[in-house]
Amino acid sequence: MKKKVFLLCSVLLLSFSAQAHRAWMLPSATVFSGKEPWLTVDAVIGNELFYFDHVPMQLTGLTITAPDGTTIQPENSAKGRLRSVFDVPLKQSGTYRLTVLNQGLFASYEENGETKRWRGTADSFAQAGIADKKALKVLEMMSRIETFVTSGKPDTRTLSATKQGLALQPITHPNDLAVNEAAVFQFLLDGKPLSDLSVSIILGGTRYRDKTEEQILTTDKEGKINIRWTSAGMYFLETDYKDDQTSIKEAKERRLSYSATFEVLP
């Protein structure tokens, strides 16, 4: 249990680190045809896009939503030194949503003249017995990492955004992206449009060029951004936000992050 909590917190801390580490899932492709194809996904926390150079992503928070809304399990999961990997049989026609959700609380306090630290979930905080500790500081974090994959004809059954935390509501289908065509994405905070949110979009392959070529867009009053893709390839999108809408009164700040991988075709 302690090991699982430590790994969860490590992922969250990396998500909010000032360093260049980014958490991403890289699908083998995002558009498939044919009878019951297979998807393979690499899951990584790294520096370059999309290059394996740091640590594997923990998959304890992985959810794969099939086109009919059911949750399916990954197959052939494995964790290597630099990446995690898993397969998904695409038995249904339509769009799949893959999400890794990590959330938890981080607390520090003083006890017997020493600084102590605690990490866990909001549900376990009360049982931890630290609510009345001296110099208590509690931070709540949530990171959501996603990608979308379609087998056959794209549909929208899995595209409705969650009403918890920072989330993406695609207006343009995420598996219908092409060079020089505009795409519209909407960002929601607890189910409501979030304006003035800064969003970064970067084409993969940063290891092989001198400039990042990052696009930074700001959401409008409806929480929407318009993206024009300049090149074909895999793109990484990320954004973060903080507020005081925590799930427990002891936590004074909530930090949220969202990232996703998209494929843009010629």
Side-chain angles (χ1 to χ4, degrees):
M1 181 64 185
K2 289 183 178 179
K3 183 177 180 181
K4 289 182 178 180
V5 171
F6 173 77
L7 292 173
L8 165 64
C9 296
S10 297
V11 170
L12 286 168
L13 285 172
L14 282 169
S15 299
F16 294 94
S17 173
Q19 300 177 7
H21 297 131
R22 297 183 173 99
W24 42 263
M25 286 188 286
L26 182 65
S28 52
T30 64
V31 179
F32 292 84
S33 59
K35 187 177 181 180
E36 295 189 10
W38 282 82
L39 164 71
T40 293
V41 179
D42 292 311
V44 175
I45 296 172
N47 299 299
E48 303 283 357
L49 297 172
F50 293 98
Y51 183 74
F52 315 137
D53 62 359
H54 191 49
V55 294
M57 184 189 299
Q58 304 300 323
L59 299 177
T60 52
L62 173 65
T63 300
I64 304 171
T65 306
D68 64 358
T70 59
T71 299
I72 61 176
Q73 297 300 313
E75 298 189 18
N76 306 318
S77 297
K79 186 176 76 170
R81 182 66 177 268
L82 297 176
R83 64 173 174 168
S84 294
V85 63
F86 61 91
D87 294 331
V88 183
L90 306 179
K91 296 181 179 180
Q92 299 180 30
S93 178
T95 300
Y96 295 72
R97 189 170 194 152
L98 287 70
T99 304
V100 174
L101 178 65
N102 295 299
Q103 55 186 330
L105 299 176
F106 299 80
S108 64
Y109 57 93
E110 291 184 10
E111 187 174 70
N112 300 323
E114 296 183 2
T115 299
K116 302 287 186 178
R117 291 178 175 81
W118 175 89
R119 297 163 177 155
T121 65
D123 291 338
S124 64
F125 181 80
Q127 285 72 40
I130 63 172
D132 296 324
K133 295 293 185 179
K134 183 179 179 181
L136 177 67
K137 296 180 181 178
V138 183
L139 177 65
E140 184 171 2
M141 293 186 177
M142 177 188 295
S143 71
R144 180 173 282 109
I145 305 154
E146 292 192 314
T147 194
F148 302 82
V149 173
T150 293
S151 177
K153 185 178 180 180
D155 63 14
T156 60
R157 289 175 291 174
T158 61
L159 299 189
S160 297
T162 177
K163 294 184 179 180
Q164 181 186 28
L166 186 58
L168 173 71
Q169 174 65 66
I171 306 301
T172 303
H173 196 286
N175 298 137
D176 189 21
L177 307 176
V179 175
N180 294 324
E181 293 185 6
V184 180
F185 291 159
Q186 183 182 37
F187 288 87
L188 307 177
L189 178 65
D190 297 329
K192 298 180 180 180
L194 180 59
S195 62
D196 298 319
L197 179 70
S198 180
V199 182
S200 168
I201 303 102
I202 303 174
L203 175 65
T206 54
R207 178 180 176 85
Y208 307 108
R209 60 179 187 266
D210 294 331
K211 296 182 179 180
T212 304
E213 298 179 12
E214 178 183 26
Q215 296 184 60
I216 299 179
L217 304 175
T218 302
T219 57
D220 63 17
K221 63 181 180 180
E222 296 179 338
K224 296 178 181 179
I225 57 171
N226 288 269
I227 308 169
R228 185 166 292 276
W229 314 100
T230 57
S231 303
M234 290 288 190
Y235 281 78
F236 178 75
L237 178 152
E238 67 177 339
T239 186
D240 57 66
Y241 186 80
K242 61 182 179 180
D243 61 18
D244 60 359
Q245 301 302 302
T246 60
S247 60
I248 63 170
K249 63 181 181 179
E250 290 83 2
K252 304 305 179 184
E253 183 176 89
R254 179 176 67 158
R255 296 185 185 180
L256 309 167
S257 73
Y258 179 88
S259 63
T261 304
F262 301 97
E263 183 178 29
V264 175
L265 298 176

